Amino acid sequence: MDYKNFNKDNNKVRIAQIDNHLLDISKQSITDEIINWFQQSSIHWMTGLFIMRYYYTNQELSKQLLVEEINNHIPSEGKKTVTTEIKYIEDAETKKYVLILPSLIDNRKRIIKPTEITISSFSNWFQNYYDNLENFFNKTKNF
């Protein structure tokens, strides 16, 4: 598709875009319990995305760094306490969505890694996201 000529100012396109975004996060279209858990709030979702980002870049993600990353992206009024964010991480560990391991670089640090089921769930979600995006552009190319 020629994105330069895409009519992004058309209200039909905007509505289709809204519908596409809803499709990517709605429990009506996402039945994966792991993705649903991570999508229950913006902080949960950022937690999952940062965990996967650090996993894919093969970088260590400590609990402290994760909290800092989240707080860099959340407006002040939406920020939770560090205790709340740590509870989310511990809940993910209890559910076996992540592993908390000692750092290979600094043994005092605890590193967060996704489990295989989380990696699989996010991989499927990313594929569905790209499929939905492709369908969006195919659906709206005549608008």
Side-chain angles (χ1 to χ4, degrees):
M1 164 157 221
D2 181 8
Y3 299 107
K4 292 178 187 168
N5 295 325
F6 187 71
N7 186 358
K8 56 193 164 290
D9 295 326
N10 183 313
N11 280 343
K12 287 181 182 178
V13 170
R14 289 180 176 149
I15 291 167
Q17 190 174 18
I18 290 167
D19 290 346
N20 191 57
H21 284 293
L22 289 171
L23 184 65
D24 291 334
I25 61 172
S26 174
K27 68 179 184 178
Q28 294 176 0
S29 58
I30 302 193
T31 58
D32 184 298
E33 71 179 68
I34 296 166
I35 295 299
N36 284 330
W37 186 88
F38 279 107
Q39 287 185 334
Q40 66 184 301
S41 75
S42 60
I43 292 175
H44 283 86
W45 190 230
M46 284 189 187
T47 297
L49 292 175
F50 280 118
I51 290 169
M52 296 310 298
R53 182 179 204 213
Y54 278 76
Y55 168 75
Y56 289 131
T57 60
N58 202 27
Q59 295 177 299
E60 287 193 347
L61 178 64
S62 67
K63 288 182 179 182
Q64 181 60 38
L65 181 55
L66 177 56
V67 170
E68 289 172 14
E69 288 278 25
I70 291 168
N71 284 332
N72 285 336
H73 292 274
I74 296 285
S76 299
E77 57 276 355
K79 289 183 181 177
K80 303 289 184 192
T81 66
V82 171
T83 306
T84 300
E85 291 167 342
I86 296 297
K87 277 200 268 186
Y88 293 166
I89 296 165
E90 290 170 353
D91 188 34
E93 180 184 28
T94 300
K95 291 180 175 2
K96 302 196 181 328
Y97 300 159
V98 300
L99 298 170
I100 309 294
L101 306 166
S103 167
L104 298 174
I105 299 167
D106 180 350
N107 214 18
R108 297 169 295 173
K109 288 185 180 180
R110 307 296 286 163
I111 303 304
I112 305 165
K113 297 275 188 181
T115 59
E116 287 301 317
I117 60 171
T118 299
I119 295 166
S120 176
S121 288
F122 270 89
S123 294
N124 291 336
W125 185 87
F126 288 130
Q127 184 60 54
N128 288 335
Y129 174 86
Y130 292 121
D131 292 346
N132 292 342
L133 194 58
E134 184 177 356
N135 289 335
F136 164 77
F137 282 112
N138 288 335
K139 184 169 72 172
T140 60
K141 65 182 169 187
N142 294 323
F143 289 162

